[in-house]
Amino acid sequence: MKLNYVVFILFISFLFSACNSEKNRLPENGMDKFLGKYVSEGYFRHSDGYDWISVLISKKDDNTVYISVKSRSDKKKPTCTFDGEGIMVERNTLKSVFNEKVILFDLEDEILKVFMEKEKDGNLLYFFCSGGATLEGRYKKIDEK
């Protein structure tokens, strides 16, 4: 009788922990919400000659996305370029690794924030740009037609 009671308690404990971990699991196809094009503030004034940067996120497979960052190239030589892959590490965060350093892409209300996991590595985001520009910043999602 005691053995059945112990087995029952273990079974209930297992079910409870399985249900609890279900809440923490990443949503299936959760990366789909990241897909699209994001642009810096200058994009909305590009006809006035402002520089701008775009971040294009496209699907590679169910677990990985391509991340392509390019700056304006219609009237000027591009000042920023980055191409990499990203994986989802939290519900609203993608990570990409470059030279063993983690670049994060955090999405909230259609605003993509790009920054380094470790603040001390922030200078890396200048590496991809020239003229003192950086990839770090906020980018708004746009609908392209």
PDB file of all heavy atoms in Angstrom, residues 9-41:
ATOM      1  N   ILE A   9       2.304   9.690  -5.623  1.00  0.00           N
ATOM      2  CA  ILE A   9       2.869  11.015  -5.323  1.00  0.00           C
ATOM      3  C   ILE A   9       3.918  11.385  -6.371  1.00  0.00           C
ATOM      4  O   ILE A   9       3.949  12.518  -6.867  1.00  0.00           O
ATOM      5  CB  ILE A   9       3.484  11.048  -3.899  1.00  0.00           C
ATOM      6  CG1 ILE A   9       2.399  10.873  -2.845  1.00  0.00           C
ATOM      7  CG2 ILE A   9       4.267  12.332  -3.671  1.00  0.00           C
ATOM      8  CD1 ILE A   9       1.359  11.971  -2.830  1.00  0.00           C
ATOM      9  N   LEU A  10       4.778  10.447  -6.735  1.00  0.00           N
ATOM     10  CA  LEU A  10       5.785  10.704  -7.764  1.00  0.00           C
ATOM     11  C   LEU A  10       5.129  11.028  -9.107  1.00  0.00           C
ATOM     12  O   LEU A  10       5.554  11.929  -9.828  1.00  0.00           O
ATOM     13  CB  LEU A  10       6.739   9.526  -7.910  1.00  0.00           C
ATOM     14  CG  LEU A  10       7.726   9.316  -6.764  1.00  0.00           C
ATOM     15  CD1 LEU A  10       8.494   8.019  -6.951  1.00  0.00           C
ATOM     16  CD2 LEU A  10       8.675  10.489  -6.670  1.00  0.00           C
ATOM     17  N   PHE A  11       4.067  10.295  -9.444  1.00  0.00           N
ATOM     18  CA  PHE A  11       3.364  10.533 -10.701  1.00  0.00           C
ATOM     19  C   PHE A  11       2.738  11.928 -10.717  1.00  0.00           C
ATOM     20  O   PHE A  11       2.859  12.659 -11.702  1.00  0.00           O
ATOM     21  CB  PHE A  11       2.294   9.449 -10.899  1.00  0.00           C
ATOM     22  CG  PHE A  11       1.492   9.646 -12.143  1.00  0.00           C
ATOM     23  CD1 PHE A  11       2.040   9.355 -13.391  1.00  0.00           C
ATOM     24  CD2 PHE A  11       0.198  10.124 -12.093  1.00  0.00           C
ATOM     25  CE1 PHE A  11       1.317   9.544 -14.550  1.00  0.00           C
ATOM     26  CE2 PHE A  11      -0.535  10.325 -13.244  1.00  0.00           C
ATOM     27  CZ  PHE A  11       0.021  10.032 -14.478  1.00  0.00           C
ATOM     28  N   ILE A  12       2.089  12.327  -9.648  1.00  0.00           N
ATOM     29  CA  ILE A  12       1.471  13.659  -9.548  1.00  0.00           C
ATOM     30  C   ILE A  12       2.545  14.740  -9.617  1.00  0.00           C
ATOM     31  O   ILE A  12       2.377  15.753 -10.306  1.00  0.00           O
ATOM     32  CB  ILE A  12       0.636  13.791  -8.245  1.00  0.00           C
ATOM     33  CG1 ILE A  12      -0.558  12.829  -8.278  1.00  0.00           C
ATOM     34  CG2 ILE A  12       0.178  15.217  -8.023  1.00  0.00           C
ATOM     35  CD1 ILE A  12      -1.549  13.098  -9.400  1.00  0.00           C
ATOM     36  N   SER A  13       3.655  14.525  -8.940  1.00  0.00           N
ATOM     37  CA  SER A  13       4.763  15.487  -8.982  1.00  0.00           C
ATOM     38  C   SER A  13       5.290  15.633 -10.409  1.00  0.00           C
ATOM     39  O   SER A  13       5.581  16.741 -10.866  1.00  0.00           O
ATOM     40  CB  SER A  13       5.905  15.050  -8.067  1.00  0.00           C
ATOM     41  OG  SER A  13       5.463  15.017  -6.739  1.00  0.00           O
ATOM     42  N   PHE A  14       5.415  14.518 -11.116  1.00  0.00           N
ATOM     43  CA  PHE A  14       5.885  14.566 -12.500  1.00  0.00           C
ATOM     44  C   PHE A  14       4.914  15.351 -13.377  1.00  0.00           C
ATOM     45  O   PHE A  14       5.324  16.198 -14.169  1.00  0.00           O
ATOM     46  CB  PHE A  14       6.050  13.142 -13.043  1.00  0.00           C
ATOM     47  CG  PHE A  14       6.326  13.102 -14.510  1.00  0.00           C
ATOM     48  CD1 PHE A  14       7.591  13.403 -15.001  1.00  0.00           C
ATOM     49  CD2 PHE A  14       5.327  12.805 -15.417  1.00  0.00           C
ATOM     50  CE1 PHE A  14       7.849  13.382 -16.363  1.00  0.00           C
ATOM     51  CE2 PHE A  14       5.568  12.785 -16.781  1.00  0.00           C
ATOM     52  CZ  PHE A  14       6.821  13.080 -17.251  1.00  0.00           C
ATOM     53  N   LEU A  15       3.612  15.076 -13.229  1.00  0.00           N
ATOM     54  CA  LEU A  15       2.618  15.803 -14.027  1.00  0.00           C
ATOM     55  C   LEU A  15       2.654  17.295 -13.738  1.00  0.00           C
ATOM     56  O   LEU A  15       2.584  18.126 -14.644  1.00  0.00           O
ATOM     57  CB  LEU A  15       1.214  15.258 -13.759  1.00  0.00           C
ATOM     58  CG  LEU A  15       0.862  13.933 -14.409  1.00  0.00           C
ATOM     59  CD1 LEU A  15      -0.549  13.506 -14.008  1.00  0.00           C
ATOM     60  CD2 LEU A  15       0.963  14.021 -15.911  1.00  0.00           C
ATOM     61  N   PHE A  16       2.759  17.657 -12.477  1.00  0.00           N
ATOM     62  CA  PHE A  16       2.798  19.070 -12.101  1.00  0.00           C
ATOM     63  C   PHE A  16       4.018  19.761 -12.695  1.00  0.00           C
ATOM     64  O   PHE A  16       3.914  20.841 -13.262  1.00  0.00           O
ATOM     65  CB  PHE A  16       2.810  19.208 -10.574  1.00  0.00           C
ATOM     66  CG  PHE A  16       2.868  20.627 -10.120  1.00  0.00           C
ATOM     67  CD1 PHE A  16       1.742  21.424 -10.172  1.00  0.00           C
ATOM     68  CD2 PHE A  16       4.060  21.176  -9.681  1.00  0.00           C
ATOM     69  CE1 PHE A  16       1.799  22.753  -9.775  1.00  0.00           C
ATOM     70  CE2 PHE A  16       4.129  22.494  -9.288  1.00  0.00           C
ATOM     71  CZ  PHE A  16       2.998  23.291  -9.331  1.00  0.00           C
ATOM     72  N   SER A  17       5.181  19.124 -12.619  1.00  0.00           N
ATOM     73  CA  SER A  17       6.384  19.759 -13.166  1.00  0.00           C
ATOM     74  C   SER A  17       6.327  19.814 -14.686  1.00  0.00           C
ATOM     75  O   SER A  17       6.799  20.766 -15.295  1.00  0.00           O
ATOM     76  CB  SER A  17       7.649  19.038 -12.695  1.00  0.00           C
ATOM     77  OG  SER A  17       7.709  17.739 -13.223  1.00  0.00           O
ATOM     78  N   ALA A  18       5.732  18.824 -15.329  1.00  0.00           N
ATOM     79  CA  ALA A  18       5.612  18.837 -16.786  1.00  0.00           C
ATOM     80  C   ALA A  18       4.692  19.970 -17.235  1.00  0.00           C
ATOM     81  O   ALA A  18       4.984  20.685 -18.189  1.00  0.00           O
ATOM     82  CB  ALA A  18       5.090  17.499 -17.294  1.00  0.00           C
ATOM     83  N   CYS A  19       3.582  20.157 -16.532  1.00  0.00           N
ATOM     84  CA  CYS A  19       2.661  21.249 -16.872  1.00  0.00           C
ATOM     85  C   CYS A  19       3.302  22.601 -16.600  1.00  0.00           C
ATOM     86  O   CYS A  19       3.130  23.547 -17.362  1.00  0.00           O
ATOM     87  CB  CYS A  19       1.366  21.134 -16.077  1.00  0.00           C
ATOM     88  SG  CYS A  19       0.361  19.727 -16.588  1.00  0.00           S
ATOM     89  N   ASN A  20       4.034  22.695 -15.531  1.00  0.00           N
ATOM     90  CA  ASN A  20       4.695  23.953 -15.188  1.00  0.00           C
ATOM     91  C   ASN A  20       5.762  24.309 -16.218  1.00  0.00           C
ATOM     92  O   ASN A  20       5.895  25.454 -16.610  1.00  0.00           O
ATOM     93  CB  ASN A  20       5.306  23.836 -13.782  1.00  0.00           C
ATOM     94  CG  ASN A  20       5.696  25.171 -13.228  1.00  0.00           C
ATOM     95  OD1 ASN A  20       5.167  26.183 -13.658  1.00  0.00           O
ATOM     96  ND2 ASN A  20       6.613  25.172 -12.288  1.00  0.00           N
ATOM     97  N   SER A  21       6.529  23.321 -16.685  1.00  0.00           N
ATOM     98  CA  SER A  21       7.567  23.608 -17.670  1.00  0.00           C
ATOM     99  C   SER A  21       6.961  23.946 -19.027  1.00  0.00           C
ATOM    100  O   SER A  21       7.578  24.598 -19.842  1.00  0.00           O
ATOM    101  CB  SER A  21       8.545  22.443 -17.794  1.00  0.00           C
ATOM    102  OG  SER A  21       7.901  21.332 -18.364  1.00  0.00           O
ATOM    103  N   GLU A  22       5.729  23.517 -19.278  1.00  0.00           N
ATOM    104  CA  GLU A  22       5.039  23.839 -20.533  1.00  0.00           C
ATOM    105  C   GLU A  22       4.884  25.343 -20.694  1.00  0.00           C
ATOM    106  O   GLU A  22       5.004  25.881 -21.781  1.00  0.00           O
ATOM    107  CB  GLU A  22       3.660  23.160 -20.540  1.00  0.00           C
ATOM    108  CG  GLU A  22       2.923  23.265 -21.848  1.00  0.00           C
ATOM    109  CD  GLU A  22       3.527  22.396 -22.929  1.00  0.00           C
ATOM    110  OE1 GLU A  22       4.118  21.357 -22.613  1.00  0.00           O
ATOM    111  OE2 GLU A  22       3.397  22.769 -24.106  1.00  0.00           O
ATOM    112  N   LYS A  23       4.661  26.070 -19.609  1.00  0.00           N
ATOM    113  CA  LYS A  23       4.504  27.522 -19.657  1.00  0.00           C
ATOM    114  C   LYS A  23       5.800  28.212 -20.048  1.00  0.00           C
ATOM    115  O   LYS A  23       5.781  29.271 -20.649  1.00  0.00           O
ATOM    116  CB  LYS A  23       4.062  28.051 -18.287  1.00  0.00           C
ATOM    117  CG  LYS A  23       2.686  27.624 -17.896  1.00  0.00           C
ATOM    118  CD  LYS A  23       2.352  28.130 -16.509  1.00  0.00           C
ATOM    119  CE  LYS A  23       1.045  27.578 -16.024  1.00  0.00           C
ATOM    120  NZ  LYS A  23       0.770  27.933 -14.644  1.00  0.00           N
ATOM    121  N   ASN A  24       6.931  27.629 -19.687  1.00  0.00           N
ATOM    122  CA  ASN A  24       8.226  28.241 -19.949  1.00  0.00           C
ATOM    123  C   ASN A  24       8.789  27.872 -21.312  1.00  0.00           C
ATOM    124  O   ASN A  24       9.791  28.429 -21.735  1.00  0.00           O
ATOM    125  CB  ASN A  24       9.229  27.847 -18.856  1.00  0.00           C
ATOM    126  CG  ASN A  24       8.806  28.378 -17.515  1.00  0.00           C
ATOM    127  OD1 ASN A  24       8.242  29.460 -17.428  1.00  0.00           O
ATOM    128  ND2 ASN A  24       9.054  27.610 -16.466  1.00  0.00           N
ATOM    129  N   ARG A  25       8.167  26.919 -21.973  1.00  0.00           N
ATOM    130  CA  ARG A  25       8.640  26.476 -23.268  1.00  0.00           C
ATOM    131  C   ARG A  25       8.393  27.553 -24.321  1.00  0.00           C
ATOM    132  O   ARG A  25       7.395  28.261 -24.272  1.00  0.00           O
ATOM    133  CB  ARG A  25       7.916  25.187 -23.657  1.00  0.00           C
ATOM    134  CG  ARG A  25       8.717  24.346 -24.617  1.00  0.00           C
ATOM    135  CD  ARG A  25       8.043  23.041 -24.892  1.00  0.00           C
ATOM    136  NE  ARG A  25       8.152  22.172 -23.726  1.00  0.00           N
ATOM    137  CZ  ARG A  25       7.444  21.084 -23.574  1.00  0.00           C
ATOM    138  NH1 ARG A  25       6.564  20.736 -24.453  1.00  0.00           N
ATOM    139  NH2 ARG A  25       7.604  20.340 -22.508  1.00  0.00           N
ATOM    140  N   LEU A  26       9.290  27.664 -25.282  1.00  0.00           N
ATOM    141  CA  LEU A  26       9.130  28.646 -26.353  1.00  0.00           C
ATOM    142  C   LEU A  26       7.982  28.228 -27.251  1.00  0.00           C
ATOM    143  O   LEU A  26       7.778  27.041 -27.489  1.00  0.00           O
ATOM    144  CB  LEU A  26      10.423  28.758 -27.170  1.00  0.00           C
ATOM    145  CG  LEU A  26      11.638  29.251 -26.399  1.00  0.00           C
ATOM    146  CD1 LEU A  26      12.873  29.199 -27.292  1.00  0.00           C
ATOM    147  CD2 LEU A  26      11.418  30.654 -25.884  1.00  0.00           C
ATOM    148  N   PRO A  27       7.210  29.184 -27.753  1.00  0.00           N
ATOM    149  CA  PRO A  27       6.080  28.825 -28.601  1.00  0.00           C
ATOM    150  C   PRO A  27       6.542  28.210 -29.918  1.00  0.00           C
ATOM    151  O   PRO A  27       7.586  28.577 -30.450  1.00  0.00           O
ATOM    152  CB  PRO A  27       5.389  30.172 -28.852  1.00  0.00           C
ATOM    153  CG  PRO A  27       6.437  31.191 -28.621  1.00  0.00           C
ATOM    154  CD  PRO A  27       7.378  30.610 -27.609  1.00  0.00           C
ATOM    155  N   GLU A  28       5.759  27.274 -30.410  1.00  0.00           N
ATOM    156  CA  GLU A  28       6.057  26.667 -31.694  1.00  0.00           C
ATOM    157  C   GLU A  28       5.939  27.748 -32.767  1.00  0.00           C
ATOM    158  O   GLU A  28       5.017  28.549 -32.758  1.00  0.00           O
ATOM    159  CB  GLU A  28       5.061  25.537 -31.955  1.00  0.00           C
ATOM    160  CG  GLU A  28       5.578  24.502 -32.898  1.00  0.00           C
ATOM    161  CD  GLU A  28       4.653  23.303 -32.954  1.00  0.00           C
ATOM    162  OE1 GLU A  28       4.169  22.881 -31.903  1.00  0.00           O
ATOM    163  OE2 GLU A  28       4.449  22.807 -34.063  1.00  0.00           O
ATOM    164  N   ASN A  29       6.882  27.799 -33.690  1.00  0.00           N
ATOM    165  CA  ASN A  29       6.918  28.812 -34.743  1.00  0.00           C
ATOM    166  C   ASN A  29       6.979  30.221 -34.162  1.00  0.00           C
ATOM    167  O   ASN A  29       6.550  31.171 -34.798  1.00  0.00           O
ATOM    168  CB  ASN A  29       5.724  28.676 -35.695  1.00  0.00           C
ATOM    169  CG  ASN A  29       5.744  27.360 -36.429  1.00  0.00           C
ATOM    170  OD1 ASN A  29       6.803  26.866 -36.789  1.00  0.00           O
ATOM    171  ND2 ASN A  29       4.587  26.780 -36.643  1.00  0.00           N
ATOM    172  N   GLY A  30       7.484  30.379 -32.977  1.00  0.00           N
ATOM    173  CA  GLY A  30       7.570  31.689 -32.340  1.00  0.00           C
ATOM    174  C   GLY A  30       8.473  32.659 -33.071  1.00  0.00           C
ATOM    175  O   GLY A  30       8.357  33.863 -32.905  1.00  0.00           O
ATOM    176  N   MET A  31       9.379  32.133 -33.890  1.00  0.00           N
ATOM    177  CA  MET A  31      10.287  33.014 -34.624  1.00  0.00           C
ATOM    178  C   MET A  31       9.578  33.740 -35.753  1.00  0.00           C
ATOM    179  O   MET A  31      10.068  34.758 -36.226  1.00  0.00           O
ATOM    180  CB  MET A  31      11.487  32.233 -35.152  1.00  0.00           C
ATOM    181  CG  MET A  31      12.430  31.836 -34.042  1.00  0.00           C
ATOM    182  SD  MET A  31      14.061  31.355 -34.610  1.00  0.00           S
ATOM    183  CE  MET A  31      13.719  30.045 -35.729  1.00  0.00           C
ATOM    184  N   ASP A  32       8.417  33.238 -36.154  1.00  0.00           N
ATOM    185  CA  ASP A  32       7.708  33.874 -37.267  1.00  0.00           C
ATOM    186  C   ASP A  32       7.384  35.337 -36.986  1.00  0.00           C
ATOM    187  O   ASP A  32       7.354  36.150 -37.900  1.00  0.00           O
ATOM    188  CB  ASP A  32       6.426  33.108 -37.596  1.00  0.00           C
ATOM    189  CG  ASP A  32       6.709  31.768 -38.265  1.00  0.00           C
ATOM    190  OD1 ASP A  32       7.883  31.514 -38.620  1.00  0.00           O
ATOM    191  OD2 ASP A  32       5.769  30.976 -38.417  1.00  0.00           O
ATOM    192  N   LYS A  33       7.167  35.685 -35.732  1.00  0.00           N
ATOM    193  CA  LYS A  33       6.838  37.081 -35.416  1.00  0.00           C
ATOM    194  C   LYS A  33       8.015  38.024 -35.678  1.00  0.00           C
ATOM    195  O   LYS A  33       7.832  39.219 -35.833  1.00  0.00           O
ATOM    196  CB  LYS A  33       6.370  37.220 -33.977  1.00  0.00           C
ATOM    197  CG  LYS A  33       7.447  36.988 -32.937  1.00  0.00           C
ATOM    198  CD  LYS A  33       6.879  37.139 -31.556  1.00  0.00           C
ATOM    199  CE  LYS A  33       7.867  36.689 -30.523  1.00  0.00           C
ATOM    200  NZ  LYS A  33       7.269  36.659 -29.209  1.00  0.00           N
ATOM    201  N   PHE A  34       9.233  37.489 -35.743  1.00  0.00           N
ATOM    202  CA  PHE A  34      10.417  38.311 -36.017  1.00  0.00           C
ATOM    203  C   PHE A  34      10.592  38.594 -37.507  1.00  0.00           C
ATOM    204  O   PHE A  34      11.288  39.530 -37.883  1.00  0.00           O
ATOM    205  CB  PHE A  34      11.689  37.611 -35.523  1.00  0.00           C
ATOM    206  CG  PHE A  34      11.827  37.571 -34.039  1.00  0.00           C
ATOM    207  CD1 PHE A  34      11.400  36.469 -33.319  1.00  0.00           C
ATOM    208  CD2 PHE A  34      12.400  38.629 -33.351  1.00  0.00           C
ATOM    209  CE1 PHE A  34      11.541  36.424 -31.942  1.00  0.00           C
ATOM    210  CE2 PHE A  34      12.540  38.591 -31.982  1.00  0.00           C
ATOM    211  CZ  PHE A  34      12.098  37.487 -31.273  1.00  0.00           C
ATOM    212  N   LEU A  35       9.992  37.773 -38.355  1.00  0.00           N
ATOM    213  CA  LEU A  35      10.228  37.864 -39.790  1.00  0.00           C
ATOM    214  C   LEU A  35       9.742  39.199 -40.340  1.00  0.00           C
ATOM    215  O   LEU A  35       8.672  39.676 -39.992  1.00  0.00           O
ATOM    216  CB  LEU A  35       9.535  36.710 -40.518  1.00  0.00           C
ATOM    217  CG  LEU A  35       9.923  35.305 -40.061  1.00  0.00           C
ATOM    218  CD1 LEU A  35       9.176  34.262 -40.874  1.00  0.00           C
ATOM    219  CD2 LEU A  35      11.415  35.084 -40.120  1.00  0.00           C
ATOM    220  N   GLY A  36      10.567  39.812 -41.191  1.00  0.00           N
ATOM    221  CA  GLY A  36      10.182  41.066 -41.810  1.00  0.00           C
ATOM    222  C   GLY A  36      11.339  42.035 -41.888  1.00  0.00           C
ATOM    223  O   GLY A  36      12.489  41.692 -41.629  1.00  0.00           O
ATOM    224  N   LYS A  37      10.992  43.270 -42.254  1.00  0.00           N
ATOM    225  CA  LYS A  37      12.001  44.315 -42.423  1.00  0.00           C
ATOM    226  C   LYS A  37      11.785  45.398 -41.371  1.00  0.00           C
ATOM    227  O   LYS A  37      10.664  45.846 -41.149  1.00  0.00           O
ATOM    228  CB  LYS A  37      11.910  44.920 -43.823  1.00  0.00           C
ATOM    229  CG  LYS A  37      13.005  45.915 -44.121  1.00  0.00           C
ATOM    230  CD  LYS A  37      12.945  46.353 -45.574  1.00  0.00           C
ATOM    231  CE  LYS A  37      14.110  47.257 -45.924  1.00  0.00           C
ATOM    232  NZ  LYS A  37      14.082  47.620 -47.367  1.00  0.00           N
ATOM    233  N   TYR A  38      12.890  45.806 -40.771  1.00  0.00           N
ATOM    234  CA  TYR A  38      12.897  46.842 -39.743  1.00  0.00           C
ATOM    235  C   TYR A  38      13.840  47.948 -40.212  1.00  0.00           C
ATOM    236  O   TYR A  38      14.867  47.661 -40.822  1.00  0.00           O
ATOM    237  CB  TYR A  38      13.393  46.273 -38.412  1.00  0.00           C
ATOM    238  CG  TYR A  38      12.570  45.099 -37.921  1.00  0.00           C
ATOM    239  CD1 TYR A  38      12.807  43.808 -38.390  1.00  0.00           C
ATOM    240  CD2 TYR A  38      11.562  45.288 -36.992  1.00  0.00           C
ATOM    241  CE1 TYR A  38      12.045  42.736 -37.951  1.00  0.00           C
ATOM    242  CE2 TYR A  38      10.803  44.214 -36.542  1.00  0.00           C
ATOM    243  CZ  TYR A  38      11.052  42.947 -37.028  1.00  0.00           C
ATOM    244  OH  TYR A  38      10.292  41.887 -36.583  1.00  0.00           O
ATOM    245  N   VAL A  39      13.508  49.180 -39.918  1.00  0.00           N
ATOM    246  CA  VAL A  39      14.333  50.298 -40.379  1.00  0.00           C
ATOM    247  C   VAL A  39      14.588  51.288 -39.254  1.00  0.00           C
ATOM    248  O   VAL A  39      13.786  51.436 -38.332  1.00  0.00           O
ATOM    249  CB  VAL A  39      13.683  51.029 -41.577  1.00  0.00           C
ATOM    250  CG1 VAL A  39      13.593  50.111 -42.788  1.00  0.00           C
ATOM    251  CG2 VAL A  39      12.308  51.570 -41.221  1.00  0.00           C
ATOM    252  N   SER A  40      15.725  51.986 -39.373  1.00  0.00           N
ATOM    253  CA  SER A  40      16.055  53.037 -38.402  1.00  0.00           C
ATOM    254  C   SER A  40      15.215  54.281 -38.703  1.00  0.00           C
ATOM    255  O   SER A  40      14.596  54.402 -39.765  1.00  0.00           O
ATOM    256  CB  SER A  40      17.546  53.362 -38.452  1.00  0.00           C
ATOM    257  OG  SER A  40      17.870  53.895 -39.725  1.00  0.00           O
ATOM    258  N   GLU A  41      15.218  55.219 -37.788  1.00  0.00           N
ATOM    259  CA  GLU A  41      14.412  56.439 -37.904  1.00  0.00           C
ATOM    260  C   GLU A  41      14.710  57.217 -39.182  1.00  0.00           C
ATOM    261  O   GLU A  41      13.811  57.807 -39.784  1.00  0.00           O
ATOM    262  CB  GLU A  41      14.656  57.326 -36.673  1.00  0.00           C
ATOM    263  CG  GLU A  41      13.710  58.492 -36.555  1.00  0.00           C
ATOM    264  CD  GLU A  41      12.249  58.090 -36.372  1.00  0.00           C
ATOM    265  OE1 GLU A  41      11.970  57.059 -35.721  1.00  0.00           O
ATOM    266  OE2 GLU A  41      11.382  58.816 -36.902  1.00  0.00           O
TER     267      GLU A  41
END
